[in-house]
Amino acid sequence: SLAGGRLPDVPVGPGHAGRLWAAVLAVWGGGAWRQPCLPSSWACLFCLLQNVRIDPSREGCVRMWVPFGVALMSLAVSCSGLREVAEGPTAPDGHPVPVQLGPADHWLPTRREFRHKSNITFNDNDTVSFLEYRSFQFQPDKSHGLESDYIVMPNILVLAAAMLMENKPMSLKLIMTLAFSTLGERAFMNRTVGEIMWGYEDPLIHLINKYLPNMFPFKGKFGLFAELNNSDSGLFTVFTGVKDFSRIHLVDKWNGLSKVSFWHSDQCNMINGTSGQMWAPFMTPETSLEFYSPEACRSMNLIYKESGTFEGIPTYRFVAPSTLFANGSVYPPNEGFCPCRESGIQNVSTCRFNAPLFLSHPHFYNADPVLAEAVLGLHPNQEEHSLFLDIHPVTGIPMNCSVKLQLSLYIKAIRGIGQTGKIQPVVLPLVWFEESGAMEGKPLRTFYTQLVLMPSVLQYAQYVLLALGCVLLLIPIIHQIRSQGPGDATSQPSVGTQPDRLPGPHTPLLQDSLSGQPTRPKV
């Protein structure tokens, strides 16, 4: 941690300097540049650690964190029409016939999701609290069908209320049947896609809110996503990483709670991971993505699948394990989410006003095959119905994601409630939705320049500098050799360099200094 003066153990070699340098530039981001960083591995590593934290004293860090996710996400919902479900058709052998769904991919209204953080408060315990507001805007150019199209859907209020009355006295069931008839409620309804998604006025809601004001969390319109539009996802308190970098982005509390109380085990009630927007940097294939989802009322964990690239930027792809929605008999740690039905669907009734709702992958992908066989028109496959997140491993920032989930309702005929008719027991898909997003535009170009282009330049630059260093080393050697010249190598030694000899008896007294012959004295 930075507080202890230590840096995490990250393998650093000759090729890591460029990648770390580029990561620093990416995290800093254009206007957030405040101080220089030399392209050395440890210097850039320190710079990166300084800037992925949520540090109120560094304007660039906060500016990068606050608007993250704004105008990057789109929501697509596929609603399924129903045909004569209430009559409960049976085969000649008496077994129920699989439910026939309408064109499941005809209604695909797409809305773009906008997010912004508000009420940002930095606390003394190295955490920051915030509310993140969401709003959705319809995108007709990316939609198949309109939100004004009518579709036949199960009446969740009626069928859920009927399931809650299953074990109640017959007198109460008859009273409920009379109330449904008076209000004109039926087991199935014909409404527009927009009403089903974002809410519609229902007399049953007004009646319930009048006599049971705290039974439902909504007071006005009822819709599958009515509580998501123009609302927040709860008060998140996450660690900033300023004092303890090892806990960066991890959730400390949600709505003031360290754990929830929806489930039946401490492990399932734990709030683990991040808020689902950013993760700790320096990921490895052994890293897992853990985050808390308020919509699912639980923490989820994704595992590494493969490395790849997005628009030329290196990424790690994380996917959901096959045990994400497995029941307790298949995966014992999920026992706390029970009561369970077939494996592959999670009972979320405890956090959804006790309605028999189930969460799963679309078309019951990775679930018990009997679920898909009970509903005609379902064809689960990995390419269309799995979810994934592509994360840049050095910074922990998502580059591309596609989260696909399905919401289903368990329905059956309830004796004493006439509206349920002869409905055969079935887990019926209501909607499956895809929340997808990718980095695009100027942020993508900046990331590509600083995460791909600059590292490539630095990668080649190190070889150019190595070659240049060799040339500079050879220049003085060559200069020294050439400066001696060819004549100097064969020249005779001078007289001054010859060793002195003692004179003999026949040695001339005078000798020519050049020819070595004796000289005569001049008169």
Side-chain angles (χ1 to χ4, degrees), residues 15 17-23 25-26 309-314 392 443-462:
R19 290 191 287 272
L20 291 173
W21 170 242
L25 296 178
T309 59
F310 172 74
E311 300 292 342
I313 299 174
H392 183 249
L444 177 62
R445 293 191 297 269
T446 302
F447 254 71
Y448 179 81
T449 301
Q450 299 170 348
L451 294 175
V452 178
L453 187 59
M454 288 191 63
S456 299
V457 172
L458 293 176
Q459 184 74 14
Y460 289 108
Q462 64 182 357

Side-chain angles (χ1 to χ4, degrees), residues 78 80 82 101 153-154 156 159-160 163 224-225 325 341-342 344-349 352-365 367 371-372 375 378 405-411 426-433:
S78 175
S80 301
L82 301 171
L101 295 183
M153 284 287 289
I156 300 176
L159 294 174
M163 290 294 297
L224 293 175
F225 300 100
F325 299 120
R341 296 192 59 83
E342 295 81 0
I345 57 176
Q346 179 191 331
N347 189 343
V348 293
S349 60
R352 287 291 178 265
F353 44 88
N354 291 321
L357 294 170
F358 291 84
L359 192 65
S360 68
H361 295 291
H363 287 221
F364 298 122
Y365 170 70
L371 294 168
V375 182
L378 299 185
L405 296 173
Q406 175 177 288
L407 191 64
S408 304
L409 178 69
Y410 178 65
I411 60 175
V426 65
V427 180
L428 186 66
L430 296 176
V431 297
W432 73 269
F433 52 94

Side-chain angles (χ1 to χ4, degrees), residues 128-172:
V128 58
S129 302
F130 63 91
L131 290 172
E132 186 171 66
Y133 289 89
R134 300 163 296 184
S135 61
F136 299 87
Q137 294 183 5
F138 181 58
Q139 304 288 304
D141 56 325
K142 297 181 180 180
S143 302
H144 300 282
L146 301 174
E147 290 191 348
S148 57
D149 294 339
Y150 279 86
I151 185 175
V152 177
M153 284 287 289
N155 192 330
I156 300 176
L157 294 174
V158 171
L159 294 174
M163 290 294 297
L164 293 175
M165 297 294 294
E166 182 178 9
N167 299 320
K168 300 297 181 181
M170 182 60 67
S171 57
L172 293 180

Side-chain angles (χ1 to χ4, degrees), residues 11-64:
V12 177
H16 286 73
R19 290 191 287 272
L20 291 173
W21 170 242
V24 172
L25 296 178
V27 173
W28 237 297
W33 183 273
R34 287 294 178 270
Q35 47 181 277
C37 177
L38 299 177
S40 63
S41 300
W42 288 111
C44 289
L45 176 60
F46 181 76
C47 292
L48 179 58
L49 297 181
Q50 290 287 330
N51 286 275
V52 296
R53 304 176 305 172
I54 311 172
D55 191 346
S57 64
R58 301 179 68 90
E59 180 185 354
C61 304
V62 178
R63 182 162 58 241
M64 180 193 69

Side-chain angles (χ1 to χ4, degrees), residues 297-374:
C297 308
R298 57 165 291 188
S299 298
M300 295 187 177
N301 189 41
L302 305 184
I303 59 175
Y304 171 85
K305 179 184 179 183
E306 60 188 359
S307 60
T309 59
F310 172 74
E311 300 292 342
I313 299 174
T315 58
Y316 281 176
R317 171 158 292 189
F318 293 86
V319 298
S322 58
T323 57
L324 181 62
F325 299 120
N327 59 22
S329 60
V330 175
Y331 187 61
N334 284 353
E335 185 69 32
F337 295 121
C338 292
C340 301
R341 296 192 59 83
E342 295 81 0
S343 185
I345 57 176
Q346 179 191 331
N347 189 343
V348 293
S349 60
T350 53
C351 72
R352 287 291 178 265
F353 44 88
N354 291 321
L357 294 170
F358 291 84
L359 192 65
S360 68
H361 295 291
H363 287 221
F364 298 122
Y365 170 70
N366 265 348
D368 193 322
V370 299
L371 294 168
E373 292 170 358

Side-chain angles (χ1 to χ4, degrees), residues 65-138:
W65 171 74
V66 168
F68 190 82
V70 175
L72 291 179
M73 307 299 289
S74 62
L75 178 68
V77 182
S78 175
C79 300
S80 301
L82 301 171
R83 300 174 181 175
E84 301 178 352
V85 179
E87 284 74 9
T90 57
D93 58 0
H95 289 84
V97 173
V99 176
Q100 173 69 46
L101 295 183
D105 295 325
H106 178 69
W107 291 279
L108 284 168
T110 301
R111 286 200 175 200
R112 193 166 186 85
E113 181 181 9
F114 297 86
R115 298 189 180 196
H116 70 277
K117 292 182 176 66
S118 181
N119 294 8
I120 300 173
T121 304
F122 286 90
N123 307 310
D124 296 332
N125 61 342
D126 195 30
T127 62
V128 58
S129 302
F130 63 91
L131 290 172
E132 186 171 66
Y133 289 89
R134 300 163 296 184
S135 61
F136 299 87
Q137 294 183 5
F138 181 58

